Amino acid sequence: SIKMDLLHSNGVLIIQRLQRDYRAYQDFLNFMSHVGDPRNIFSIYFPLWFQLNQVVGTKMIWVAVIGDWFNLIFKWILFGHRPYWWVQETMIYPNHSSPCLEQFPITCETGPGSPSGHAMGSSCVWYVMVTAALSYTVRWKDKSAVTLHRLTWSFLWSIFWIIQISVCISRVFIATHFPHQVVLGVFAGILVAEAFEHTPAIQTASLRMYIKTNLFLFIFALGFYLSLKLLDIDLLWSVPKAKKWCANPDWINIDTTPFAGLVRNLGALFGLGLGINSEMFITSCKGKNSCKISFRILCIAASLATLQLYNFVKIPTHTEYLFYILSFCKSAAMPLTVVALVPYCVHLLMRTTEKKLN
């Protein structure tokens, strides 16, 4: 406990220095925090990659969902504090002279802080993207191509680490994580992504397999929560702290609670399974149009545009269970749209156009 308090207090000093010295970069750091938001995986990264390479897109969803599930379990086990409430409650500062940490609209996360979900989600997904891009260049055999592969390898991994460091600094800057929490998140994300490099079975998974996986993840998490609750251990202990010490009550969002993230991810995985095993997907993405560049570009543009419309769908938060149900449905609709609905509509459009031309 004493060692952890020292780790936290040193982290507070780092946060104070960042907030003082990097104030001019506040907008950029807030932006990088949004870049690391796991929700961007489903609304930006996945639509792009799935149309370019369905294997990579599928792996991306699995890595994001399983990684976030592990993040939730780790958070429940580690009981990590967040800086913005820890400084208000710790007794290590004499005469109640606790440091003043500035808060921002994205500071008041309600779940435990260790490991960082943003850092973990960002590292695992960017790891998938970088390794996927390098898998194309590693096949080059001639000498000049090998040199180009090495340069590409250095460039892409440099970009990877620049993004991860930027996301980590941004999460520490806004006082929502201690430095050790973001470092732990980055390396945990890399481990999850690397594990899926050796799990080819997800590419041929049936809808039944997707449903079984969803049920296992949900039952395990709920069972873990209820088991500890029976032992008088409240795994939602962080929510009252967030509500108490957040500088602005409007910054508290139910979407950041532990179960909200779980439901969102389970919905995304179910939607992917439903889409990949649908007739619309087989007809459009496995048909003759799937090889056409124009088909893929249209699918990417239409998917990104359609998914932005989902941002305007506001789920009511007055009833918690209703919120979780609707959040599951909304999350399932997003990959289903990318995988099946949009490609099928583009397929019909192109077929109609071809008939008119003929």
Side-chain angles (χ1 to χ4, degrees), residues 24-260:
Y25 305 100
Q26 177 184 330
D27 291 339
F28 171 75
L29 292 173
N30 285 337
F31 170 75
M32 290 307 301
S33 189
H34 285 295
V35 167
D37 193 331
R39 284 169 289 196
N40 289 333
I41 298 167
F42 309 115
S43 61
I44 299 176
Y45 304 141
F46 171 67
L48 285 169
W49 273 96
F50 187 82
Q51 304 303 340
L52 295 174
N53 188 315
Q54 292 170 11
V55 172
V56 177
T58 302
K59 186 194 299 182
M60 186 177 292
I61 291 291
W62 277 89
V63 166
V65 170
I66 301 301
D68 210 48
W69 183 82
F70 273 116
N71 182 263
L72 173 65
I73 301 301
F74 287 151
K75 282 182 174 179
W76 278 349
I77 293 173
L78 297 176
F79 282 79
H81 289 274
R82 293 186 184 271
Y84 76 92
W85 76 56
W86 181 82
V87 293
Q88 305 290 342
E89 297 187 343
T90 182
M91 303 300 292
I92 70 168
Y93 297 106
N95 302 321
H96 303 287
S97 57
S98 58
C100 180
L101 298 182
E102 187 174 357
Q103 296 184 25
F104 304 88
I106 55 176
T107 295
C108 299
E109 299 271 353
T110 56
S114 186
S116 166
H118 280 64
M120 191 168 174
S122 175
S123 65
C124 70
V125 170
W126 279 92
Y127 187 93
V128 169
M129 290 192 286
V130 169
T131 53
L134 289 175
S135 67
Y136 291 103
T137 63
V138 76
R139 302 167 190 165
W140 299 340
K141 299 298 182 182
D142 57 274
K143 191 173 181 180
S144 60
V146 170
T147 303
L148 183 59
H149 167 71
R150 289 174 180 171
L151 290 173
T152 305
W153 187 95
S154 300
F155 173 75
L156 289 179
W157 283 117
S158 297
I159 293 296
F160 173 85
W161 284 111
I162 288 171
I163 290 173
Q164 304 320 310
I165 291 170
S166 299
V167 169
C168 290
I169 291 175
S170 71
R171 301 302 288 171
V172 174
F173 174 84
I174 63 174
T176 200
H177 284 295
F178 291 103
H180 69 278
Q181 295 173 345
V182 293
V183 171
L184 180 60
V186 168
F187 287 103
I190 291 174
L191 287 175
V192 171
E194 180 60 29
F196 275 89
E197 291 292 320
H198 311 284
T199 315
I202 60 173
Q203 302 298 334
T204 56
S206 63
L207 180 58
R208 179 177 293 182
M209 183 61 185
Y210 276 91
I211 293 173
K212 285 182 178 179
T213 304
N214 255 18
L215 288 174
F216 170 78
L217 296 177
F218 178 73
I219 292 171
F220 186 96
L222 183 62
F224 187 70
Y225 170 78
L226 293 176
S227 298
L228 291 183
K229 194 171 184 179
L230 289 175
L231 297 174
D232 259 347
I233 300 174
D234 182 15
L235 293 180
L236 299 181
W237 59 273
S238 59
V239 178
K241 290 182 181 292
K243 291 180 178 179
K244 181 178 180 181
W245 297 113
C246 185
N248 187 338
D250 293 336
W251 296 346
I252 297 289
N253 192 339
I254 190 175
D255 200 30
T256 65
T257 58
F259 277 110

